[in-house]
C-alpha cells in the first residue's frame, strides 16, 4: 500500500509499504547537465510518487535511451512505526566506476532487521562522472561523481529525519568502486559532520588518481575523439561514441603505462584537496570508526574475465617495479610453496598486492593516529554464480550482505539472478549482516572478546567463514616476506637519498 506523504526540501514524496517496511524509490536529489556540477532538482508541490527506481546512470548496456540529467536519485527503506530515530546506512555501489546503480540493492531486509534506515544512491559513471576536464576548458568538470555523492549526502543530512532516520548517526559505506568513493568522501571538508562512521568493502589498492594521470587520460580521450582543438564539443558527443573512446584509451594505457586506470576519484586540489590516506594518517578522522573488509580470492574474477582485467598486468608490473624482478620471482615462488590445495598462487599474490595489503595499510594508518579500526576478510564461497565456480572472489561479501535470508536477491542492472541460500550461506550471511548492523548502530561490529580492534602491534583479522574466527594478520609467513622485501626496498631508497 502507499505511504502517507513525507516532506522533503524539494517537495513531498509518497512511497510503498510492505511487511512493515516503507520504501521510497527514485527520489531525485539533484539534476545535472553533462560535465556540469549537479544542482538541486526543480521543486514540486503535489506529492511525488516514488515507488519505482529512477533512471540508471548511463553505462554500457544502458546508453541508447539514457537520460543523463535525471539519473541522480536515491532510494530509502525505513521501518514503519519506529519509536525513535534510527541509524542510517548510506551505501555507494560499486561497478569499476562504470556500471551499477542503487537499484541493485534492495535494503528492505536490512532495514527491518536493524532496525535502520537504508539509503542507496546513483551517481554519474564512466566518462560522465570521472573525466577530469577542469583543466581543459570545462571549469566545473572535476570529480563530478564525488560531487554527486556529496549532494546525496547533503540531501540525506537535511531530510532523513523525516523518514525516521538520525542525521547524526550516518554510516558511509560502499563496495569496490563505491569503497574508493567512501574513502575519498570521508576525508573531504564538505562531508565533515554529516557522517559518524565508515565501512569500505574491497577498496582497490589505488583509491586515488594523480592529477597528472587524470590529465593524461583526458588528453588521450580528446585525441581519440579528435577534439583536441574543440574541447567543448565533448558535451555533445553521442554516449556510445564517448564510452567507446574511453574504453580504447584504457586498453592502451594498460599496455603502455603502469596504470590502466581511466576512472576514479582524482587528486584535483579542489574537490579532493589531499591524498585520502594522508588524512587518515594525520589523525583528522580519529573520531570516525572504520571497518575495512575484503574477500579472500579478490583477483580470481578479474583473471577469469575476457580479456583479463587491466589491473592484472598493472599490478604485476607495479610489484616488479617496487621489488625488482628478483623480488617478484621470490614472492611467486613462495606463494607456490605455501598455496592451499584449492589456491592459485599467482591469483593469491595479486589479491594480496592489489587488495589485502593496501587495506591493511589504511587500517594501520587509522589505528596509529588513534582511530578505531577493524579489518575483515570474507572466506565463504556463496552458492551463487560466479562465486560457486570462482570461490570467495570480488563481491562475495556484498552478495551476502544484501541477501534477504534465506535467499540471495536479484541484481537487475548486473543481470545476475538471485536464488535460495544453503545453510552455510545463511549462517555466514547472518553473521556478516549482524556485524554490519551492530556497526551502523554502535560504531563497533562486535564485542571486543570476539573481534578486537586493529591496533599498532596487535593486528587481528576477522575471518567470515564457518566458523567465524579471528587470526593475527602479522604472523603469517607471507606477511613476513612482504615486510622483508619492503624493508630492503626502503633501506635502498634511503641509501640512494643519503648518497
Amino acid at each position: 500500500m502507499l505511504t502517507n506523504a513525507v516532506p522533503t526540501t524539494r517537495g513531498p514524496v509518497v512511497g510503498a509499504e510492505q511487511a512493515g517496511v516503507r520504501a521510497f524509490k527514485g527520489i531525485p536529489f539533484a539534476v545535472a547537465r553533462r560535465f556540469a556540477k549537479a544542482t538541486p532538482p526543480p521543486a514540486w508541490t503535489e506529492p511525488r510518487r516514488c515507488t519505482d527506481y529512477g533512471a540508471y546512470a548511463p553505462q554500457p548496456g544502458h546508453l541508447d535511451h539514457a537520460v543523463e540529467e535525471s539519473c541522480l536519485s536515491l532510494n530509502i527503506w525505513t521501518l514503519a512505526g519506529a519509536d525513535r530515530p534510527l541509524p542510517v546506512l548510506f551505501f555507494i555501489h560499486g561497478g569499476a566506476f562504470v556500471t551499477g546503480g542503487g537499484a541493485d540493492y534492495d535494503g528492505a531486509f536490512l532495514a527491518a532487521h536493524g532496525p535502520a534506515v537504508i539509503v542507496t544512491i546513483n551517481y554519474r559513471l564512466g566518462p560522465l562522472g570521472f573525466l577530469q576536464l577542469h583543466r581543459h576548458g570545462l571549469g566545473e568538470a572535476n570529480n563530478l561523481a564525488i560531487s554527486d555523492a556529496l549532494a546525496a549526502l547533503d540531501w540525506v543530512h537535511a531530510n532523513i529525519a523525516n523518514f525516521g532516520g538520525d542525521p547524526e548517526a550516518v554510516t558511509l559505506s560502499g563496495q569496490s568502486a563505491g569503497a574508493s568513493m567512501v574513502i575519498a568522501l570521508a576525508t573531504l571538508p564538505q562531508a565533515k559532520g554529516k557522517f559518524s562512521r565508515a565501512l569500505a568493502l574491497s577498496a582497490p589498492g589505488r583509491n586515488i588518481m594523480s592529477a597528472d594521470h587524470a590529465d593524461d587520460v583526458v588528453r588521450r580521450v580528446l585525441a581519440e575523439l579528435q577534439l583536441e582543438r574543440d574541447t567543448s564539443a565533448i558535451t555533445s558527443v553521442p554516449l556510445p561514441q564517448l564510452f567507446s573512446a574511453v574504453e580504447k584509451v584504457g586498453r592502451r594505457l594498460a599496455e603502455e603505462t603502469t596504470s590502466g586506470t581511466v576512472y576514479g576519484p582524482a587528486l584535483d586540489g579542489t574537490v579532493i584537496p589531499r591524498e585520502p590516506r594522508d588524512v587518515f594518517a594525520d589523525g583528522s578522522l580519529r573520531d570516525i570508526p572504520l571497518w575495512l573488509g575484503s574477500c579472500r580470492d579478490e583477483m580470481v574474477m578479474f583473471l577469469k574475465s575476457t580479456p583479463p582485467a587491466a589491473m592484472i598486468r598493472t599490478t604485476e608490473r607495479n610489484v616488479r617495479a617496487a621489488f625488482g624482478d628478483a623480488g617478484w620471482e621470490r614472492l611467486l615462488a613462495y606463494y607456490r610453496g605455501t598455496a592451499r590445495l584449492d589456491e592459485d598462487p599467482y591469483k593469491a599474490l595479486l589479491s594480496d598486492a592489489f587488495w589485502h595489503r593496501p587495506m591493511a595499510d589504511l587500517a594501520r594508518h587509522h589505528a596509529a593516529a588513534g582511530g578505531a579500526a577493524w579489518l575483515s576478510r570474507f572466506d565463504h564461497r556463496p552458492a551463487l554464480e560466479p562465486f560457486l565456480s570462482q570461490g570467495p572472489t570480488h563481491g562475495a561479501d556484498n552478495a551476502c550482505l544484501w541477501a534477504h535470508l534465506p535467499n540471495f536477491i536479484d541484481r537487475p542492472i548486473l543481470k545476475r539472478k538471485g536464488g535460495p541460500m544453503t545453510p552455510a550461506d545463511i549462517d555466514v550471511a547472518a553473521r556478516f549482516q549482524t556485524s554490519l548492523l551492530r556497526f551502523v548502530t554502535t560504531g563497533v561490529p562486535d564485542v571486543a572478546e570476539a573481534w578486537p580492534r586493529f591496533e599498532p602491534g596487535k593486528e587481528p583479522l576477522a575471518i567470515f567463514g564457518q566458523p567465524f574466527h579471528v587470526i593475527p594478520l602479522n604472523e603469517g609467513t607471507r606477511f613476513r616476506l612482504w615486510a622483508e622485501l619492503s624493508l630492503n626496498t626502503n633501506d635502498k631508497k634511503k641509501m640512494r637519498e643519503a648518497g
Side-chain angles (χ1 to χ4, degrees), residues 379-390:
D379 282 19
H380 175 68
R381 177 197 298 261
L384 177 76
E385 290 298 348
F387 316 109
L388 192 57
S389 57
Q390 297 181 10

Side-chain angles (χ1 to χ4, degrees), residues 254-465:
E255 295 169 358
E256 300 169 10
T257 73
T258 58
S259 176
T261 304
V262 293
Y263 301 131
L267 191 62
D268 65 344
T270 305
V271 177
I272 303 179
R274 297 179 59 198
E275 164 64 54
R277 289 174 185 265
D278 292 343
V279 181
F280 279 96
D282 72 14
S284 299
L285 294 169
R286 66 169 61 90
D287 295 331
I288 302 297
L290 176 66
W291 174 1
L292 300 167
S294 58
C295 296
R296 189 190 70 191
D297 301 334
E298 288 279 4
M299 207 57 115
V300 171
M301 175 182 292
F302 302 98
L303 274 157
K304 289 189 177 290
S305 61
T306 306
M311 70 176 72
I312 304 299
R313 293 192 298 276
T314 56
T315 301
E316 178 178 340
R317 199 176 296 157
N318 287 330
V319 175
R320 288 181 181 272
F323 302 139
D325 290 341
W328 166 265
E329 295 300 337
R330 187 179 171 194
L331 275 168
L332 187 55
Y334 196 79
Y335 273 72
R336 285 170 177 155
T338 57
R340 303 183 315 272
L341 289 176
D342 63 343
E343 181 179 56
D344 182 304
Y346 180 71
K347 297 170 187 174
L349 195 167
L350 294 181
S351 293
D352 280 350
F354 191 82
W355 305 93
H356 303 142
R357 287 177 50 76
M359 298 200 80
D361 284 343
L362 182 56
R364 286 190 192 98
H365 286 318
H366 192 57
W374 290 266
L375 189 68
S376 69
R377 195 181 73 204
F378 199 86
D379 282 19
H380 175 68
R381 177 197 298 261
L384 177 76
E385 290 298 348
F387 316 109
L388 192 57
S389 57
Q390 297 181 10
T393 188
H394 190 69
D397 51 358
N398 211 33
C400 288
L401 173 59
W402 294 95
H404 289 198
L405 309 186
N407 295 295
F408 293 109
I409 63 170
D410 292 343
R411 306 280 291 281
I413 303 176
L414 286 180
K415 296 182 172 64
R416 287 186 187 169
K417 296 293 290 182
M421 304 171 78
T422 66
D425 291 334
I426 295 169
D427 177 63
V428 177
R431 184 68 170 75
F432 196 61
Q433 292 178 342
T434 297
S435 292
L436 173 124
L437 291 168
R438 186 182 285 122
F439 184 74
V440 168
T441 302
T442 69
V444 178
D446 209 326
V447 296
E449 293 78 12
W451 182 2
R453 280 171 52 168
F454 193 96
E455 295 178 322
K458 184 181 177 183
E459 301 186 342
L461 173 67
I463 305 296
F464 283 92

Side-chain angles (χ1 to χ4, degrees), residues 96-139:
F97 303 107
V98 72
T99 62
D104 264 355
Y105 304 92
D106 186 316
F109 188 86
L110 289 176
H113 286 77
V117 177
I118 310 300
V119 179
T120 68
I121 71 168
N122 286 355
Y123 56 92
R124 280 174 283 182
L125 299 168
L128 304 178
F130 294 99
L131 272 188
Q132 311 297 334
L133 288 163
H134 61 296
R135 292 201 283 191
H136 297 265
L138 292 174

Side-chain angles (χ1 to χ4, degrees), residues 199-212:
L199 166 66
L201 299 175
S202 298
R206 291 186 170 186
N207 299 273
I208 198 84
M209 288 196 298
S210 70
D212 288 343

